[in-house]
C-alpha cells in the first residue's frame, strides 16, 4: 500500500519523516530547510494555537505584531544575544533586482540598491521589541507590559528536519516588562507553568520542569526555565522555554522608568516561546507504525464516520441517520467528519484515518441501520466495539452496560449521568475523554520507566548508548566539566529539575563533590 511507512524499530528517523509526509502534516519546500505546512498540519497548529492563546489571555496577556526585519545596529545592541544568534542570521543587503543585460530573462541584484544599513531577518524579536518599549515606558504607571506575538522567525539551520528544526518556523514569543525583579521572576515561572499545563493536558505529553545551566541559557538571559519531554526513541526534546532577562535588554536599549519613589531605574524583562516543533514532539511521543495517534483535545478531527453501502438507496438512508448524529455531536463541540466519498472504498478510508490519527472512527452499514447497530473503533488502543442500541435514535439502555465492554473510567462517567438511557453522543464524548487520559498515561509510564540514575562514567555512557532516555547523574557544577561531558558523550544537561533532591554525591566525570543530580540526555 502506498501509505506504508518505515517501522520505528527499523529506522526511527525515517519513520518520523515518512509519517509527517504521508499523514499530510507537511511537505518539503523549494527553499532548502523550509517546509510547507499542509492543511491537516496547519489545522493541528491552529488548534494548539487557540488553546495557548486563551491561556495567555487568561493570564492577562495581549497580542501585538512587530516587524520581520531588525536593523543590524539594534540587533547588535545586546551583545550576548547578538553573538548567540549571529551564525544563524539571514541578512538583507539590497532592496531591488534588475534585468541582467548579459542574460535575457534573468535577474541580478541592483548594485545601486544597497541598503544603508543591513537588516536582520528576525531570529527572535527582543531587539526590535525593546527598542520600541523605550518609547512606551516612562513611569511605573506604564508597567507591566504583557505582550505576545504570533509570528514566523528565521534561523538559518544547516541540518534540518520537518517541524523539529527548520530554517523558518512559526511560533509565539512573549515579551514582558516589569517594575520589579520579583514581578519578572514570577512572570517567567508562571509562563513555564502555562506551557507545562498545555503540553501535558492538551498534547498529552508529560514534561519535566527545571532550569537550564549557564551554558544552555538563552543568549542574554539571567535564567532560562524549560520543560523537557522524552520521545519514544529515548531522545529528549525541549518543549518550551521561559527566560528571566533581568535588566540586560533594558540596559542595552536604555529603557528606564520612574518608580513610585520618583527614582529612575531600568525595567525588568522576560521572554518566552514555543513553536511548531511541538508538532514534531506530538508525532514522536505518541504515534505508531500505522500512523499518527493524536490526543482528542487538539486533533483536527475527533470523530470520522464511514458509511458502508451497496447502492444509492442504502447510502441515502445512512446519510439521513448520520446527519442526525453529526448535529448532536456538533452541539457538544465535537469535530466530526462524514466521509461519504464514493471514490474510495471503506478499507482505504480506514487506513487513511488511522494514518492521520483520528481518535475515534464510527462505521455504519445498511444492515447496521436496520438493527440499530454501530461500530466504534479507538485509534489509541485499536479496540473495536459493536454497539446495539435500544431504538432508532441510538440510545443505549444503562441496564446493558456490560455489553459495551467500556472501561472503568467511561462506566463511571455514565453512572454519574444518573439516567437509564445513554445517548450515542455521550458515549462518544466519554470515550474521547478517556482516549486523552490514556494517551497521556501511556506516555508518562514510558517516560518514568526511562529515567535512570548513573553513578559512574561507564554506567552513564552505557545508558546513553542504549537509548535509555533521561539519565540522572551528579555534576560538579562547572562549565568546563559540562562541556567535556558533552564532547565525550554527545549528551547535554537538559535541565536542573525543580524537584531535584539535594544530596551529596560525586561528579560522574571528575569525581568532585556535587549536591544534586541533574538530568542528562541526547536531544533533538
Amino acid at each position: 500500500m502506498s501509505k506504508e511507512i518505515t517501522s520505528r524499530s527499523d529506522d526511527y528517523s525515517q519513520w518520523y519523516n515518512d509519517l509527517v509526509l504521508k499523514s499530510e502534516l507537511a511537505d518539503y519546500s523549494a527553499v532548502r530547510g523550509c517546509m510547507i505546512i499542509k492543511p491537516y498540519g496547519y489545522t493541528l497548529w491552529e488548534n494548539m494555537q487557540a488553546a495557548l492563546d486563551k491561556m495567555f489571555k487568561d493570564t492577562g496577556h495581549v497580542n501585538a505584531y512587530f516587524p520581520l526585519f531588525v536593523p543590524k545596529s539594534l540587533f547588535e545592541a545586546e551583545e550576548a544575544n547578538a553573538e548567540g544568534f549571529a551564525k544563524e542570521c539571514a541578512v538583507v543587503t539590497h532592496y531591488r533586482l534588475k534585468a541582467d543585460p548579459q542574460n535575457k530573462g534573468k535577474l541580478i541584484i541592483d548594485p545601486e540598491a544597497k541598503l544603508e544599513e543591513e537588516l536582520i531577518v528576525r531570529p527572535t524579536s527582543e531587539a526590535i521589541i525593546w527598542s520600541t518599549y523605550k518609547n512606551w515606558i516612562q513611569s511605573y504607571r506604564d508597567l507591566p507590559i504583557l505582550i505576545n506575538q504570533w509570528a514566523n522567525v528565521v534561523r538559518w539551520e544547516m541540518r534540518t528536519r520537518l517541524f523539529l528544526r527548520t530554517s523558518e518556523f512559526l511560533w509565539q514569543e512573549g515579551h514582558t516588562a516589569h517594575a520589579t525583579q520579583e514581578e519578572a521572576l514570577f512572570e517567567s515561572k508562571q509562563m513555564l507553568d502555562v506551557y507545562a499545563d498545555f503540553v501535558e493536558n492538551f498534547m498529552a505529553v508529560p514534561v519535566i520542569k527545571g532550569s537550564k545551566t549557564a551554558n544552555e541559557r538563552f543568549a542574554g538571559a539571567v535564567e532560562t526555565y524549560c520543560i523537557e519531554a522524552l520521545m519514544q526513541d529515548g531522545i529528549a526534546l525541549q518543549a518550551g522555554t521561559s527566560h528571566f532577562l533581568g535588566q540586560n535588554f533594558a540596559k542595552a536599549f536604555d529603557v528606564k522608568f520612574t518608580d513610585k519613589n520618583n527614582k529612575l531605574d531600568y525595567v525588568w524583562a522576560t521572554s518566552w516561546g514555543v513553536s511548531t516543533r511541538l508538532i514534531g514532539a506530538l508525532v514522536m511521543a505518541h504515534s505508531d507504525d500505522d500512523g499518527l495517534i493524536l490526543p482528542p483535545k487538539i486533533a483536527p478531527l475527533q470523530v470520522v464516520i464511514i458509511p458502508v453501502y451497496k447502492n444509492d438507496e442504502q447510502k441515502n438512508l445512512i446519510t439521513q441517520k448520520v446527519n442526525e448524529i453529526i448535529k448532536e455531536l456538533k452541539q457538544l463541540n465535537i469535530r466530526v467528519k462524514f466521509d461519504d466519498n464514493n471514490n474510495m472504498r471503506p478499507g482505504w478510508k480506514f487506513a487513511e484515518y488511522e494514518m492521520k490519527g483520528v481518535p475515534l472512527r464510527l462505521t455504519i452499514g445498511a444492515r447496521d441501520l436496520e438493527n440499530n447497530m454501530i461500530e466504534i473503533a479507538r485509534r489509541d488502543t485499536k479496540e473495536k466495539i459493536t454497539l446495539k442500541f435500544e431504538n432508532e435514535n441510538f440510545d443505549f439502555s444503562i441496564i446493558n452496560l456490560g455489553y459495551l465492554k467500556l472501561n472503568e473510567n467511561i462506566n463511571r462517567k455514565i453512572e454519574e449521568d444518573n439516567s437509564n438511557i445513554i445517548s450515542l453522543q455521550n458515549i462518544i464524548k466519554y470515550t474521547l475523554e478517556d482516549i486523552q487520559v490514556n494517551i497521556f498515561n501511556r506516555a508518562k509510564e514510558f517516560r518514568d520507566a526511562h529515567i535512570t540514575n548513573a553513578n559512574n562514567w561507564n554506567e552513564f555512557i552505557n545508558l546513553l548508548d542504549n537509548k535509555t532516555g533521561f539519565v540522572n547523574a551528579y555534576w560538579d557544577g562547572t562549565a568546563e566539566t559540562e562541556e567535556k561531558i558533552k564532547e565525550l558523550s554527545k549528551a547535554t544537561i537538559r535541565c536542573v529539575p525543580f524537584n531535584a533532591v539535594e544530596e551529596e554525591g560525586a561528579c560522574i566525570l571528575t569525581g568532585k563533590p556535587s549536591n544534586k543530580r541533574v538530568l542528562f540526555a541526547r536531544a533533538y
Side-chain angles (χ1 to χ4, degrees):
M1 182 186 292
S2 61
K3 288 288 184 179
E4 285 182 357
I5 57 177
T6 304
S7 73
R8 289 167 293 177
S9 58
D10 287 345
D11 187 336
Y12 191 86
S13 178
Q14 189 59 48
W15 164 81
Y16 173 81
N17 291 337
D18 287 349
L19 186 46
V20 168
L21 293 170
K22 294 186 179 182
S23 64
E24 299 186 325
L25 293 177
D27 202 352
Y28 294 109
S29 161
V31 181
R32 191 198 68 82
C34 294
M35 67 175 173
I36 296 163
I37 304 176
K38 299 184 77 172
Y40 193 69
Y42 199 79
T43 302
L44 179 58
W45 175 241
E46 285 180 317
N47 291 344
M48 297 166 75
Q49 185 182 38
L52 276 168
D53 199 61
K54 182 179 185 304
M55 297 170 86
F56 297 158
K57 289 172 180 172
D58 286 347
T59 48
H61 300 83
V62 293
N63 289 332
Y65 186 80
F66 294 84
L68 175 66
F69 303 112
V70 185
K72 182 169 172 283
S73 58
L74 287 182
F75 188 73
E76 293 170 331
E78 211 295 319
E79 185 176 339
N81 190 255
E83 290 182 358
F85 285 101
K87 293 181 180 179
E88 299 173 329
C89 286
V91 184
V92 180
T93 59
H94 291 73
Y95 62 85
R96 186 170 61 222
L97 301 174
K98 69 175 186 177
D100 184 353
Q102 306 299 323
N103 194 344
K104 189 176 180 180
K106 299 296 182 181
L107 296 172
I108 60 172
I109 293 173
D110 186 345
E112 296 181 359
K114 191 175 189 299
L115 292 171
E116 292 183 9
E117 180 180 4
E118 296 94 339
L119 298 175
I120 309 299
V121 183
R122 64 177 171 223
T124 184
S125 296
E126 278 78 5
I128 196 73
I129 287 176
W130 277 91
S131 66
T132 303
Y133 283 178
K134 176 179 173 60
N135 300 322
W136 292 0
I137 300 169
Q138 282 80 43
S139 162
Y140 70 90
R141 294 182 180 89
D142 301 320
L143 298 170
I145 292 177
L146 305 176
I147 282 181
N148 171 67
Q149 82 163 343
W150 294 94
N152 62 336
V153 291
V154 172
R155 297 179 184 175
W156 211 257
E157 300 281 358
M158 300 309 295
R159 295 181 180 179
T160 60
R161 183 180 293 185
L162 295 172
F163 289 114
L164 295 177
R165 195 171 294 277
T166 51
S167 296
E168 179 198 20
F169 55 88
L170 305 182
W171 77 342
Q172 59 73 214
E173 49 181 321
H175 297 274
T176 69
H178 304 268
T180 68
Q181 178 180 5
E182 291 74 22
E183 286 181 15
L185 278 167
F186 175 84
E187 166 77 7
S188 54
K189 291 179 179 177
Q190 173 187 243
M191 298 319 294
L192 189 77
D193 288 340
V194 167
Y195 288 152
D197 182 6
F198 170 74
V199 173
E200 292 198 334
N201 293 311
F202 285 83
M203 292 177 55
V205 177
V207 297
I208 295 173
K209 295 189 286 187
S211 301
K212 289 290 188 183
T213 63
N215 279 4
E216 296 291 328
R217 281 180 198 143
F218 176 75
V222 176
E223 290 286 352
T224 289
Y225 307 115
C226 64
I227 51 174
E228 294 289 329
L230 188 67
M231 304 298 98
Q232 293 180 71
D233 60 346
I235 306 298
L237 186 140
Q238 181 178 281
T241 51
S242 182
H243 315 290
F244 169 59
L245 303 176
Q247 295 175 309
N248 291 344
F249 283 88
K251 290 177 179 177
F253 293 93
D254 195 32
V255 186
K256 296 177 181 177
F257 74 106
T258 304
D259 68 15
K260 292 181 179 179
N261 299 316
N262 209 33
K263 178 184 174 184
L264 201 61
D265 196 8
Y266 288 104
V267 174
W268 297 85
T270 81
S271 67
W272 28 274
V274 295
S275 75
T276 40
R277 115 183 302 233
L278 286 180
I279 294 178
L282 195 69
V283 172
M284 292 195 294
H286 301 311
S287 304
D288 62 20
D289 289 352
D290 294 315
L292 299 174
I293 294 178
L294 299 177
K297 283 187 179 181
I298 55 174
L301 287 174
Q302 295 170 311
V303 177
V304 61
I305 304 176
I306 298 176
V308 180
Y309 54 88
K310 293 181 179 178
N311 52 54
D312 287 344
E313 182 182 356
Q314 290 181 349
K315 179 185 178 182
N316 291 337
L317 289 171
I318 293 170
T319 299
Q320 184 179 355
K321 174 52 64 179
V322 168
N323 285 338
E324 295 174 13
I325 295 171
I326 288 175
K327 181 179 179 181
E328 292 170 343
L329 291 178
K330 287 187 173 180
Q331 287 176 349
L332 295 175
N333 295 317
I334 291 172
R335 297 183 290 278
V336 57
K337 176 181 179 180
F338 178 40
D339 191 343
D340 60 348
N341 184 345
N342 289 325
N343 296 326
M344 300 298 179
R345 297 179 65 83
W348 187 95
K349 295 177 183 179
F350 293 164
E352 175 75 0
Y353 292 109
E354 185 173 65
M355 176 71 71
K356 290 192 170 185
V358 177
L360 207 56
R361 185 186 77 226
L362 307 185
T363 306
I364 182 168
R367 185 173 298 178
D368 297 327
L369 194 63
E370 293 175 4
N371 296 319
N372 296 328
M373 297 175 69
I374 196 166
E375 181 187 84
I376 297 181
R378 291 175 59 142
R379 177 63 183 91
D380 60 331
T381 62
K382 297 188 177 178
E383 180 185 14
K384 295 179 184 178
I385 305 167
T386 300
L387 303 179
K388 182 172 176 61
F389 292 85
E390 296 297 307
N391 53 50
E392 62 182 13
N393 294 324
F394 286 105
D395 292 324
F396 186 81
S397 170
I398 200 167
I399 298 172
N400 298 318
L401 274 180
Y403 180 78
L404 282 171
K405 299 179 182 176
L406 297 175
N407 69 29
E408 183 179 335
N409 291 334
I410 299 174
N411 283 334
R412 185 171 63 251
K413 294 219 174 203
I414 291 173
E415 289 171 1
E416 288 171 359
D417 280 351
N418 195 26
S419 171
N420 291 325
I421 296 295
I422 304 301
S423 65
L424 174 61
Q425 63 263 35
N426 276 342
I427 290 175
I428 291 171
K429 175 186 173 185
Y430 300 149
T431 305
L432 289 172
E433 290 171 355
D434 187 66
I435 291 171
Q436 183 81 29
V437 172
N438 182 56
I439 291 174
F440 175 79
N441 288 342
R442 192 159 64 185
K444 187 174 185 299
E445 287 174 10
F446 176 86
R447 193 277 311 273
D448 291 348
H450 290 80
I451 302 176
T452 312
N453 288 350
N455 295 309
N456 58 60
W457 184 254
N458 287 337
E459 282 184 4
F460 181 75
I461 292 297
N462 286 336
L463 288 170
L464 291 171
D465 287 346
N466 289 320
K467 295 187 176 181
T468 307
F470 290 124
V471 181
N472 252 333
Y474 292 108
W475 161 59
D476 64 19
T478 67
E480 294 77 16
T481 299
E482 182 181 4
E483 282 296 319
K484 191 65 176 177
I485 291 173
K486 181 178 178 180
E487 177 188 338
L488 295 173
S489 68
K490 310 300 182 192
T492 54
I493 298 175
R494 304 312 305 157
C495 70
V496 181
F498 290 154
N499 62 357
V501 177
E502 295 216 0
E503 56 186 4
E504 293 184 1
C507 175
I508 52 165
L509 184 65
T510 65
K512 293 179 181 178
S514 173
N515 68 347
K516 67 179 67 170
R517 294 179 187 269
V518 298
L519 207 64
F520 288 89
R522 291 174 180 153
Y524 285 100

